[in-house]
């Protein structure tokens, strides 16, 4: 089989997936169509409908697009079959039914932003940073019946610096994933659709990467400063870790915390606020943590120093 013989359907939605689709197009692969999520309303009142990033790229490059509400919809399945793909590539999309992933001659492979089998699930980048990992990576694997459990084709690792946030890792894995996809496709072509897969090792203490909700993002100040530090950077800038700021009069305000710094200073009384040398400090279980960047409800993201300038008697406040 030649590269030109390979008819590919690409499935993905966010910016993360665009890098891989762009790599396919720019490297001469025949993408016969794109499947993505339906357009969604955005803005404060939902008055503006916005197309997914993948759709925007696809239309700009003349690629046909399907946006099914349900992946088992008969009309969608027939349209997909009509594209005559012999391989499907999935990046940051949704769970596919067997009728879809098993359709092409050579199957369907996924580009996942973790070193499987670790961090199976919807938010592998966030959870890897939140858990203080120093290395993550990307994996290509064939889809099967369960989530992120199929035969692994290739993996590439990516170092996580101690001061990196989720955005840094997102950008790095986005480009690494695009490159790994190309390498995987080369293997598919060379092996006539049946590339070698890696031996499946039994791994203990598997860590999962479930979908993140608002309640997931609340900071627990009874944990160590190290854990809070990792938690904050793992959710920065999106969706953002948050805490409840309690003023002396009892008024509560939600604060998003985007960046912190370790101080090494011992602390007592989790959630207690201190100000030293024009720095905003909050006590974790074992250590004072400096708040570097935050955001008040209804305000823009700001430095802690700007926040302090607009507040009085901060040391009489606390977080919970």
């Amino acid at each position: 089989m030649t590269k030109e013989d390979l008819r590919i359907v690409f499935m993905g939605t966010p910016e993360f997936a665009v890098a891989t689709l762009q790599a396919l197009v720019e490297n001469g692969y025949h993408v016969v169509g794109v499947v993505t999520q339906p357009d969604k309303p955005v803005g404060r009142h939902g008055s503006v409908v916005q197309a997914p990033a993948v759709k925007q790229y696809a239309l700009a490059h003349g690629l046909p697009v399907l946006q099914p509400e349900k992946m088992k919809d008969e009309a969608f399945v027939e349209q997909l079959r009509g594209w005559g793909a012999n391989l499907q590539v999935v990046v940051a999309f949704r769970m596919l039914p067997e009728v879809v992933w098993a359709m092409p001659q050579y199957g369907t492979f996924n580009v996942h932003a973790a070193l499987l089998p670790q961090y199976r699930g919807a938010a592998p980048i966030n959870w890897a940073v939140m858990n203080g990992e120093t290395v993550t990576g990307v994996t290509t694997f064939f889809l099967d019946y369960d989530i992120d459990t199929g035969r692994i084709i290739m993996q590439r690792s990516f170092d996580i610096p101690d001061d990196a946030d989720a955005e840094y890792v997102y950008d790095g894995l986005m480009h690494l994933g695009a490159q790994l996809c190309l390498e995987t496709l080369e293997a598919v072509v060379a092996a006539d659709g049946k590339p070698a897969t890696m031996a499946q090792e039994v791994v203990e203490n598997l860590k999962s990467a479930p979908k993140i909700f608002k309640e997931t993002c609340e900071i627990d100040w009874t944990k160590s400063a190290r854990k809070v530090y990792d938690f904050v950077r793992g959710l920065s800038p999106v969706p953002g870790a948050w805490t409840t700021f309690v003023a002396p009069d009892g008024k509560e305000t939600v604060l998003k915390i985007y960046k912190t710094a370790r101080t090494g200073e011992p602390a007592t009384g989790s959630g207690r606020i201190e100000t030293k040398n024009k720095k905003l400090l909050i006590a974790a279980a074992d250590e004072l943590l400096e708040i570097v960047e935050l955001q008040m409800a209804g305000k823009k993201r700001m430095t802690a120093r700007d926040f302090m300038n607009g507040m009085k008697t901060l040391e009489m406040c606390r977080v919970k």
Side-chain angles (χ1 to χ4, degrees):
M1 178 176 58
T2 66
K3 180 178 178 179
E4 291 71 26
D5 294 330
L6 194 61
R7 293 174 60 84
I8 299 172
V9 165
F10 182 84
M11 300 184 182
T13 298
E15 179 190 11
F16 188 89
V18 173
T20 301
L21 176 57
Q22 181 178 357
L24 297 182
V25 171
E26 293 182 352
N27 282 272
Y29 283 97
H30 187 190
V31 180
V32 297
V34 170
V35 181
T36 188
Q37 295 275 44
D39 297 357
K40 291 187 176 181
V42 296
R44 179 174 296 182
H45 303 293
S47 57
V48 178
V49 177
Q50 181 172 298
V54 161
K55 178 183 178 180
Q56 295 177 40
Y57 179 89
L59 295 181
H61 291 80
L63 301 175
V65 175
L66 293 177
Q67 296 177 273
E69 291 283 351
K70 296 181 179 179
M71 299 301 292
K72 291 184 178 180
D73 179 78
E74 292 184 7
F76 161 68
V77 171
E78 285 306 308
Q79 287 177 299
L80 182 63
R81 186 173 286 113
W83 280 344
N86 46 23
L87 180 72
Q88 292 174 156
V89 176
V90 180
V91 183
F93 194 44
R94 58 202 283 190
M95 189 171 180
L96 303 181
E98 182 181 6
V99 68
V100 172
W101 59 257
M103 184 183 297
Q105 174 187 2
Y106 300 134
T108 301
F109 77 76
N110 183 282
V111 181
H112 185 74
L115 295 175
L116 293 173
Q118 295 289 6
Y119 294 106
R120 292 169 174 153
I125 295 174
N126 297 101
W127 283 106
V129 182
M130 289 160 68
N131 287 338
E133 302 289 359
T134 58
V135 178
T136 184
V138 287
T139 301
T140 53
F141 69 97
F142 285 111
L143 293 187
D144 64 10
Y145 296 97
D146 296 314
I147 297 176
D148 303 335
T149 60
R151 291 172 294 132
I152 294 173
I153 310 168
M154 293 182 178
Q155 292 186 321
R156 295 291 181 272
S157 61
F158 181 84
D159 292 337
I160 306 177
D162 187 65
D163 60 349
D165 60 15
E167 184 174 44
Y168 173 91
V169 180
Y170 180 101
D171 289 343
L173 295 188
M174 177 171 65
H175 297 294
L176 185 60
Q179 180 58 44
L180 187 62
C181 179
L182 294 179
E183 293 176 20
T184 301
L185 286 172
E186 290 172 3
V188 168
V189 170
D192 195 25
K194 298 180 180 179
T197 55
M198 296 173 58
Q200 304 297 298
E201 297 181 7
V202 176
V203 179
E204 297 182 356
N205 301 318
L206 287 178
K207 299 173 185 176
S208 62
K211 187 175 181 180
I212 291 174
F213 299 94
K214 180 180 178 181
E215 55 268 26
T216 312
C217 304
E218 184 177 10
I219 299 171
D220 181 356
W221 296 102
T222 66
K223 292 188 175 181
S224 70
R226 174 79 235 189
K227 288 188 177 298
V228 175
Y229 172 78
D230 291 335
F231 185 81
V232 169
R233 65 194 183 98
L235 293 168
S236 182
V238 177
W242 61 273
T243 191
T244 303
F245 179 85
V246 184
D249 61 2
K251 182 179 179 181
E252 296 185 353
T253 303
V254 171
L255 295 180
K256 279 196 173 184
I257 310 295
Y258 292 103
K259 187 175 182 180
T260 65
R262 301 283 301 279
T263 67
E265 297 184 39
T268 56
S270 299
R272 184 172 51 84
I273 294 176
E274 291 187 24
T275 56
K276 292 181 181 179
N277 301 320
K278 298 183 178 180
K279 293 181 178 181
L280 176 61
L281 308 171
I282 298 179
D286 57 349
E287 181 183 311
L288 289 172
L289 201 62
E290 180 186 355
I291 308 303
V292 180
E293 293 183 14
L294 51 77
Q295 181 180 19
M296 296 178 66
K299 303 290 184 180
K300 293 182 179 180
R301 182 171 171 172
M302 68 182 77
T303 65
R305 181 166 295 188
D306 288 340
F307 172 75
M308 292 169 67
N309 288 339
M311 300 291 293
K312 295 181 179 179
T313 61
L314 266 173
E315 293 195 357
M316 295 176 64
C317 305
R318 59 184 175 86
V319 294
K320 69 173 188 178

